[in-house]
């Protein structure tokens, strides 16, 4: 494929630190890079407590476990009608008595459109494609507990604070297609010391204060020193990566701003987009498959918007999904990696416009 949807930026520091970690023989879950990456991430996030884990799904599971432990009065959880499936799975891994209800997406933001929050209900805020939900505003309006799947949110903000930092706790992902990556990897953010200690215990097999005595069922969710070394190199280049992502997204918006038939993601007041993945809603197309076939022929890799929860046969959730289904049909996710050049963005945009003209001609 000429232009993949994503290609990670791997700075020299990541390679150097990973080599050093390997040469040190500390290649598992102990080593200096775990502490160094944790400290740097805590500084960047402005979050009091950060726990590195092996991937974003593990982080999201620990967020769900923390909700269950520290907010036992919660009986219902509101989730978006479409998002990456790890958010749903994290609520199902354990035998909790939650009622899970799906809230349909908003046509403009492509995020969950919360209109009512019953008593004893928590919101699971998922920032689709990196478009940030204003969690502080949501908490002020409804006065409920909020947890976040912030796996797509790094670089995003709400009310001037980094996303993922103003809820009970949140998850981060450093998968290979994220703004900052360690190949796999993730983190849990919280300002609550009890939650932080609980997360540390669970990620390390539920071990008590006495080594090899385990007083809680836990998991092996630890990040390796090699992963942390790669992550640290990325974090040391975060300003450069951010500027490149801003350039790429800005170029797309400039090229597509006034094109009929194209709708871009609308941001909530008080928020900034994380610029994770660039999506465009191509109004009136029959399905994502129609677009995918065209863009493949011109060397442009694409992805669909997340599918409605009803498309996953094992999920027994309730709630509306009309907007989620519409958006899945019409949204196409395009290449947006940091080193995509302006000329390459222009090439993609030219073919978006050509595709729309082709569709209009065939109507």
């Amino acid at each position: 494929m000429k232009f993949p949807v994503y290609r990670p930026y791997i700075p020299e520091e990541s390679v150097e630190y990973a080599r050093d970690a390997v040469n040190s023989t500390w290649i598992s879950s102990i080593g200096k890079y775990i502490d160094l990456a944790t400290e740097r991430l805590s500084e960047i996030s402005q979050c009091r407590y950060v726990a590195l884990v092996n991937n974003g799904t593990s982080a999201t599971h620990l967020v769900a476990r923390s909700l269950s432990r520290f907010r036992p009065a919660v009986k219902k959880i509101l989730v978006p009608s479409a998002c990456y499936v790890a958010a749903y799975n994290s609520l199902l891994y354990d035998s909790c008595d939650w009622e899970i209800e799906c809230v349909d997406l908003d046509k403009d933001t492509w995020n969950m459109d919360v209109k009512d929050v019953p008593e004893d209900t928590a919101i699971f805020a998922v920032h689709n494609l990196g478009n940030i939900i204003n969690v502080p505003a949501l908490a002020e309006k409804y006065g409920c507990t909020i947890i976040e799947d912030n796996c797509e949110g790094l670089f995003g903000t709400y009310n001037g604070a980094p996303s993922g930092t103003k809820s009970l706790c949140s998850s981060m992902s450093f998968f290979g297609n994220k703004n900052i990556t360690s190949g796999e990897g993730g983190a849990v953010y919280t300002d609550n010391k009890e939650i932080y200690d609980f997360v540390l215990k669970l990620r390390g097999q539920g071990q008590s204060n006495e080594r090899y005595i385990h007083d809680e069922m836990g998991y092996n969710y630890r990040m390796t020193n090699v992963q942390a070394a790669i992550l640290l190199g990325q974090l040391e280049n975060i300003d450069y990566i951010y500027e490149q992502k801003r350039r790429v997204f800005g170029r797309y918006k400039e090229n597509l701003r006034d094109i009929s038939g194209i709708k871009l993601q609308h941001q909530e007041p008080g928020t900034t987009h994380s610029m994770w993945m660039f999506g465009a809603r191509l109004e009136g197309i029959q399905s994502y498959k129609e677009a995918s076939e065209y863009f493949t022929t011109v060397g442009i890799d694409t992805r669909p918007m997340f599918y409605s929860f009803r498309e996953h046969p094992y999920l027994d959730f309730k709630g509306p999904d009309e907007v989620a289904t519409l958006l899945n049909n019409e949204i196409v996710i395009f290449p947006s990696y940091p080193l995509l050049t302006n000329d390459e963005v222009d090439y993609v945009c030219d073919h978006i416009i050509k595709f729309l003209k082709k569709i209009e001609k065939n109507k």
Side-chain angles (χ1 to χ4, degrees):
M1 189 64 64
K2 187 174 182 180
F3 302 119
V5 160
Y6 216 82
R7 179 180 289 146
Y9 172 69
I10 303 176
E12 292 180 5
E13 290 88 343
S14 288
V15 177
E16 176 187 341
Y17 297 159
R19 185 182 294 114
D20 180 58
V22 171
N23 289 339
S24 75
T25 74
W26 293 102
I27 61 173
S28 294
S29 56
I30 298 175
K32 68 178 183 181
Y33 289 108
I34 294 170
D35 291 337
L36 290 171
T38 299
E39 291 169 7
R40 180 57 69 94
L41 192 58
S42 184
E43 292 171 3
I44 291 168
S45 67
Q46 304 169 29
C47 192
R48 188 173 299 170
Y49 302 110
V50 173
L52 295 180
V53 296
N54 60 338
N55 61 58
T57 300
S58 298
T60 309
H61 181 209
L62 293 175
V63 165
R65 282 293 306 270
S66 298
L67 176 68
S68 176
R69 173 61 62 89
F70 294 96
R71 294 294 185 271
V74 169
K75 304 302 180 187
K76 177 187 284 191
I77 301 178
L78 303 182
V79 299
S81 58
C83 63
Y84 185 59
V85 74
Y88 301 145
N89 289 343
S90 69
L91 301 174
L92 302 175
Y93 287 148
D94 304 289
S95 299
C96 297
D97 295 326
W98 293 318
E99 177 186 350
I100 300 174
E101 181 179 322
C102 290
V103 176
D104 209 356
L105 303 187
D106 177 82
K107 286 184 180 180
D108 296 323
T109 67
W110 314 346
N111 282 326
M112 62 193 303
D113 186 15
V114 179
K115 291 186 169 66
D116 180 54
V117 180
E119 189 177 354
D120 299 332
T121 298
I123 296 173
F124 197 174
V126 183
H127 309 294
N128 275 338
L129 304 188
N131 196 25
I132 306 302
I133 297 171
N134 195 328
V135 167
L138 208 56
E140 182 178 356
K141 182 175 182 179
Y142 293 109
C144 62
T145 296
I146 301 178
I147 57 175
E148 290 176 76
D149 179 335
N150 192 46
C151 289
E152 300 161 16
L154 184 62
F155 293 160
T157 67
Y158 40 46
N159 292 3
S163 62
T165 61
K166 299 300 178 183
S167 55
L168 182 69
C169 51
S170 69
S171 59
M172 286 293 308
S173 172
F174 306 120
F175 184 63
N177 66 5
K178 296 302 189 290
N179 287 340
I180 297 295
T181 180
S182 53
E184 281 283 1
V188 176
Y189 289 175
T190 185
D191 280 333
N192 185 306
K193 180 63 161 56
E194 285 187 287
I195 291 177
Y196 174 68
D197 290 340
F198 179 65
V199 165
L200 291 185
K201 171 177 275 195
L202 291 194
R203 81 171 182 183
Q205 302 284 22
Q207 184 170 263
S208 68
N209 291 331
E210 185 173 352
R211 195 173 186 184
Y212 301 130
I213 298 296
H214 301 255
D215 57 5
E216 179 129 17
M217 188 189 78
Y219 319 94
N220 184 7
Y221 281 176
R222 296 167 294 187
M223 177 180 279
T224 70
N225 194 39
V226 177
Q227 285 177 299
I230 297 170
L231 179 63
L232 179 63
Q234 294 262 313
L235 294 173
E236 289 182 351
N237 285 270
I238 196 168
D239 291 340
Y240 175 77
I241 296 171
Y242 172 80
E243 288 302 323
Q244 294 308 308
K245 293 288 289 193
R246 189 169 70 166
R247 174 187 57 78
V248 169
F249 268 66
R251 189 76 173 192
Y252 269 118
K253 291 179 180 179
E254 179 183 342
N255 287 349
L256 301 176
R257 181 182 298 129
D258 299 320
I259 304 301
S260 177
I262 296 178
K263 296 283 188 182
L264 303 182
Q265 222 172 357
H266 176 75
Q267 294 172 216
E268 283 188 54
T271 69
T272 58
H273 202 289
S274 79
M275 302 174 294
W276 175 51
M277 288 283 185
F278 181 84
R281 182 180 167 200
L282 310 182
E283 293 182 300
I285 65 173
Q286 296 298 310
S287 67
Y288 163 74
K289 183 179 179 181
E290 179 184 19
S292 175
E293 290 174 350
Y294 170 82
F295 289 110
T296 296
T297 64
V298 293
I300 300 171
D301 192 18
T302 62
R303 293 289 185 275
M305 178 60 177
F306 301 118
Y307 289 88
S308 160
F309 69 95
R310 296 187 192 280
E311 297 298 318
H312 309 297
Y314 72 98
L315 294 178
D316 188 24
F317 297 166
K318 297 179 180 179
D321 71 336
E322 289 83 1
V323 176
T325 300
L326 170 68
L327 295 180
N328 175 256
N329 282 337
E330 295 188 342
I331 291 173
V332 181
I333 298 170
F334 293 99
S336 59
Y337 47 90
L339 296 186
L340 194 69
T341 68
N342 286 344
D343 286 345
E344 290 169 339
V345 173
D346 294 346
Y347 175 87
V348 175
C349 291
D350 287 345
H351 278 286
I352 293 173
I353 296 168
K354 287 178 181 178
F355 172 70
L356 287 174
K357 289 180 178 178
K358 177 182 176 184
I359 294 298
E360 184 65 28
K361 182 179 179 181
N362 292 337
K363 281 185 178 180

